[in-house]
Amino acid sequence: MARAQGARALMALAFETTYGTPPASGFTRMPFARATLGSEQPLLDSELLGYGRDPLAPIKDAVTADGDVVVPLDAEAFGFWLKAAFGSPTTTGAEAPYTHEFQSGSWTLPSMSIETGMPEVPRYAMYSGCVLDQITWQMQRSGLLTATARLVAQGETVGTTTSAGTPAGLELQRFGHFNGAITRNGTALGNVVSAEITYSNNLDRIETIRGDGRIDGADPTMAALTGRIEVRFADQTLVSQAINGEVCEMEFAYVLPSGENFTFTAHAVYLPRPRIEIAGPQGVQASFDWQAARATSPARMCTAVLVNTLAGY
């Protein structure tokens, strides 16, 4: 008897033309490390009396479909998650390399159909109406570089055969922590121990009355861009900015030797005044839980630029 193994799991993704309707073709095979994307429908205990101490049968509640997908930061596949987070990019370049620019502030976000497959069971689950709620990743000195995409889906359809056909493949060119750099107002920011970036669309689920118990959609509300920077305390630059209430531009970038690169720029970053603690004989560190806002020029909160050999998303 075959048993499900994560090593054989598959994931395919395609953007939808109509919300909640999986497209007939156009799926792309996606690299991923973990996935908690799933659908659940809890049971409600019966509250009725008059039938003795033994309870009556429970009834089904509404369907909830959501979860996280952990993906690598790479030169090609990560663009699909950026499109889900910000909307379609502006692509320039007559031939490779192509530059894809994603901007915050879009009023509408694309929905996706994502199929996860376990061929040995077999079980293929199609999650339709997937909208990206949040994407987050960390920068550090070593380790595997991954991002976590939090999704809200409309529903799940399970079958024994794939509905994604033969997904198109991508060339995996993965960024590593070694390829990363952080700049502040165009100057390299030193003494950084780690950094975290979180972009949230803060989705509002449209929970209308339906016969199938699913949501009607997920609308983006006020976006948020937050994070944390952990630095070795060596100068007063960041502390002075925090005390004076000043704003800066911060850029988080990754560059591969072959030329592919990813740059994420927060155009107006505000820093809180941190507590500087001396915890022992080791070096003193300071943490800044920063927040970004809409800048004056450019008139948006953030920009993500991905340069690769893919013609478009």
Side-chain angles (χ1 to χ4, degrees), residues 262-302:
F262 169 56
T263 303
F264 186 85
T265 306
H267 298 292
V269 173
Y270 295 83
L271 302 176
R273 182 169 179 169
R275 181 192 301 269
I276 308 297
E277 297 182 353
I278 303 174
Q282 296 85 7
V284 177
Q285 295 186 179
S287 296
F288 296 85
D289 293 317
W290 56 270
Q291 298 180 27
R294 185 178 185 269
T296 303
S297 180
R300 57 181 177 272
M301 183 166 59
C302 61

Side-chain angles (χ1 to χ4, degrees), residues 20-188:
T21 303
S25 60
F27 282 84
T28 302
R29 184 173 180 176
M30 302 299 292
F32 72 105
R34 293 185 302 278
T36 63
L37 186 61
S39 179
E40 60 182 359
Q41 187 175 23
L43 298 175
L44 297 176
D45 294 336
S46 175
E47 83 286 19
L48 299 179
L49 306 176
Y51 294 88
R53 288 187 59 233
D54 295 336
L56 297 179
I59 62 172
K60 293 181 178 181
D61 200 5
V63 177
T64 300
D66 54 21
D68 296 344
V69 179
V70 178
V71 300
L73 263 72
D74 74 303
E76 292 189 358
F78 195 58
F80 289 88
W81 302 108
L82 292 175
K83 178 179 177 179
F86 300 104
S88 298
T90 299
T91 300
T92 56
E95 58 183 20
Y98 300 96
T99 299
H100 312 280
E101 182 177 289
F102 304 83
Q103 299 181 1
S104 63
S106 175
W107 287 103
T108 58
L109 297 177
S111 62
M112 305 170 286
S113 287
I114 299 176
E115 184 184 76
T116 58
M118 291 177 280
E120 66 275 15
V121 174
R123 183 184 189 271
Y124 293 88
M126 178 68 75
Y127 301 96
S128 56
C130 295
V131 184
L132 192 141
D133 186 28
Q134 177 180 291
I135 188 165
T136 180
W137 71 94
Q138 293 182 338
M139 299 182 75
Q140 54 194 30
R141 185 175 182 273
S142 63
L144 295 173
L145 177 58
T146 60
T148 300
R150 181 172 300 167
L151 304 170
V152 172
Q154 185 185 46
E156 173 191 62
T157 303
V158 179
T160 57
T161 59
T162 179
S163 300
T166 303
L170 295 172
E171 182 181 357
L172 183 61
Q173 293 177 291
R174 191 170 183 178
F175 297 111
H177 288 294
F178 180 75
N179 308 118
I182 303 175
T183 60
R184 175 184 176 274
N185 292 335
T187 304

